[in-house]
Amino acid sequence: MMGPGWYLRRLSRMGPAEVVGRARHAVVQRQWRSALPTPPDWPAHPRFTAVLPAGVLGKVSGEAVARLLATADELMAGRAEFFGVERTDFAAPDWFLDPKTGRRAPSDVYAFDVPYRSEDTVGDIKQIWEPSRHQHLTVLAAAYALTSSPAYATRAAEHLRSWWAANPPLQGPHWVSGIELGIRLLSWVWTRRLLDGWPGAAELFEENPDFQLQLWHHQNWLATLRSHGSSANNHVIAEDAGLLAAACAFGWFPESAGWRTAAMRSLDVQLGRNTFASGLNAELASEYHGLVLELGLAAAVEADAAGTPVPDSTWDVLLRMTDALASIVDNRMRPPRQGDADDGFGLIVDGASTDRWASLLASGEALFGRLDWWPPIPGDDVRTPLLASLVSRTPRAAGVRPGRRPAHLRDAGMTILRSGPVWVRCDGGPHGFLSIAAHAHADALSLEVRHDGVDVLADPGTFCYHGEPQWRSYFRSTLGHNTLELAGRDQSVSGGPFLWTRHAVTKVLEVHTPDDGPSRWSAAHDGYAPALHRRTVELDGDELWIVDEVLGDGSPGSARLAFHFGPSVTVMLDGTTARLRWPAALDAPLVGEPSSTGGSAPAGSAAARSATGAGSAGESAPRAGSAADGRWAGSAGESAAEAGSASGGSAGSGGESAALAGSAAGGRWAGSAPEPAAAAGGGRPGSGELPADPVVGRVSGSLTGAVRTAVMELPSELAWTVHRGETEPPLGWYSAGFGRKEPATTLVGSGSPGHLTTLLRFS
């Protein structure tokens, strides 16, 4: 639970209007405790008319259907996975159980008395909330719609009846957070739509007094307690989207027309506030860009289908968000891993192996049309033809769409440098959104570097929100990102797990991104004022130069420069030279192929939310433990070819042999050309050639096929150490998705700040 200090810090980030609004909410919650609001009479014979057009289900490809049914059949067998925790009790789930801790949240407590932030009391609240978003039910309902098999419909109905009985209005943890209610309403709309034609659909929904009660209380809650002020981020989008969709599809209450109008107006305003003019989500958290876009598209389509006018400004924001997504993905359709990520989806009607980002772009193409510079969209999905079929007219947006692929999204401070298979994200944007910047990380001037979609220099991710403060702090810390830390502290000051009380201010100084030739980016931030950290990055073919400078008067304290590698990258550090290798990615995955993007689709099967984002399937899991200079730090099961034996350190973990590696003195490869000197600190080093890695082409064992390599010349002014899977304190970790973490190699250079030059060269 949060102490008094947190409440004071949180209050300090609110304006007067928000304080008044929160006081009003507190009064309402107190009134509801003593007397629940009373719903109006239900119409005598309500009819559900928000059905899919005839013939649209026949437009879904057989491939997309097969993926969907694979996930639905896992659910029918009682198997599901949420945030890395497998459940085998999902035939008849306990809606209050956290399978990770074994704790059970109280089900008979007034909702606003549930201490949902206390893992000791309720367990991991995300594990409890996620199944109750009922997105697995839209998967089952879609399976029924596409097969007419009543077993899927029957199971969905059983779960709904069970949930409604166990969760009376305003009782228990599922009535605490508006985002949960909003997404749940959207799931109910699509579950009813996809079950149309099943003989029990009307009895389950419009003729069911339990559903009537739940539906009204969900909408009344959202209309009364909408998020606002410093909390008006993705939560308010979900609240508006759920209220709007339900009031359109189930518009049977006297309040429905007013709810539709208010929700549409609010959604239009909040989408605009939550989105930069460039189209990127203002929270600067890539997965929340996907969540908000999914919610916005689903709500706008629902309103349009019901004849509720959707402002052109709403369509314009959704169009800009779609174009922005197309502009920032790498050549494997992966967006950046910036800021928080909790694997949240707005609407799921696809199988777990459907690529989320390709599906979003496919929906954008169907609604708005693609531009010439968009990346090719692999495969297809279930959701796109269904969404597109509900739109009564082709959305027209007033804005001018980019004529070429944007590389610098100025207002968001995101710059993408590209050269062949090399993709680099440079972070020069605002710290976060609104006064609390809830989902921001202390990552100013950080980089992500990928080669053919594989994380080389990786953003470590998020891992957790509640219950594990040490891990929450690490994954959003400055040291946890590919940037420079001064004086042992973060650039921005944290006041709690979703609260920043001081925000570093970053300014982009130079951007040069021609269609051909070297690209360059430079930016600085004041997070260590009066010292100023300035970083310059240049990508020239297969060479990436990184120059870090600390400017200003006075002593800024000691520096630590961190480089975090993706979990599939093996690292050998010899002095200030790091040799890298990783399995080459397979051909770009089509939608439906096992995806390693970390952005795969819905919960429901063991494959759901399990992608690592590390590259191709078949990449081995990282090896635990740390590595000293001259040792390989890398993935388990590495073959002899990559293990190596060095007199300066051990060759690796069990299972490796030295058969192909040979012996190298001092950590150098046997038979290799002379190692290059470390990059000088006075600027970009000379043009001397780096030696080719002699081991390439001799790898066997678990890393069959091509292996990619790179050499990293680190600043010689710093003392470099290797870290991997350390816990006291945490260092050397990668989180592929919420609730999951695995060891990965981190290099940390410690010493005095100054003019530090790093060169990364891909072979």
Side-chain angles (χ1 to χ4, degrees), residues 108-270:
D108 56 353
V109 174
Y110 179 58
F112 299 106
D113 290 341
V114 175
Y116 66 93
R117 292 189 181 98
S118 173
E119 187 168 297
D120 290 339
T121 304
V122 304
D124 184 343
I125 193 62
K126 291 283 290 179
Q127 288 285 348
I128 294 168
W129 278 345
E130 193 71 14
S132 289
R133 290 185 171 187
H134 290 174
Q135 293 175 322
H136 69 287
L137 300 185
T138 55
V139 171
L140 290 172
Y144 166 77
L146 290 162
T147 65
S148 298
S149 173
Y152 298 118
T154 299
R155 178 62 58 81
E158 290 170 351
H159 280 206
L160 282 172
R161 293 185 189 278
S162 165
W163 195 93
W164 292 334
N167 291 275
L170 298 173
Q171 186 170 297
H174 298 302
W175 291 89
V176 176
S177 176
I179 188 174
E180 305 305 317
L181 277 73
I183 292 176
R184 192 154 54 238
L185 280 178
L186 196 58
S187 295
W188 290 354
V189 168
W190 276 87
T191 299
R192 175 60 184 89
R193 172 175 289 129
L194 292 165
L195 290 182
D196 197 62
W198 179 55
E203 180 184 1
L204 177 64
F205 286 96
E206 52 264 35
E207 297 173 6
N208 185 351
D210 292 333
F211 173 64
Q212 300 166 17
L213 185 69
Q214 291 276 345
L215 178 64
W216 186 86
H217 274 286
H218 272 70
Q219 293 179 91
N220 183 66
W221 193 114
L222 294 175
T224 307
L225 300 179
R226 180 181 284 110
S227 296
H228 60 284
S230 58
S231 294
N233 53 12
N234 64 86
H235 283 237
V236 75
I237 303 296
E239 292 161 8
D240 289 338
L243 180 59
L244 176 60
C248 288
F250 305 125
W252 303 316
F253 295 108
E255 302 95 333
S256 294
W259 286 339
R260 283 195 297 271
T261 300
M264 186 71 260
R265 184 187 307 116
S266 178
L267 181 66
D268 180 59
V269 170
Q270 297 300 337

Side-chain angles (χ1 to χ4, degrees), residues 647-741:
S647 62
S650 122
S653 65
E656 299 173 349
S657 73
L660 298 178
S663 175
R668 290 175 53 184
W669 285 106
S672 67
E675 305 267 353
R684 175 168 169 163
S687 59
E689 290 296 316
L690 298 178
D693 192 319
V695 180
V696 171
R698 294 195 288 143
V699 174
S700 62
S702 64
L703 297 183
T704 57
V707 173
R708 302 291 183 234
T709 65
V711 175
M712 199 166 184
E713 294 298 333
L714 303 163
S716 59
E717 297 86 352
L718 304 178
W720 290 89
T721 52
V722 186
H723 305 268
R724 186 175 181 83
E726 298 172 10
T727 58
E728 297 295 338
L731 187 59
W733 295 91
Y734 179 96
S735 174
F738 197 82
R740 298 187 299 278
K741 67 181 187 296

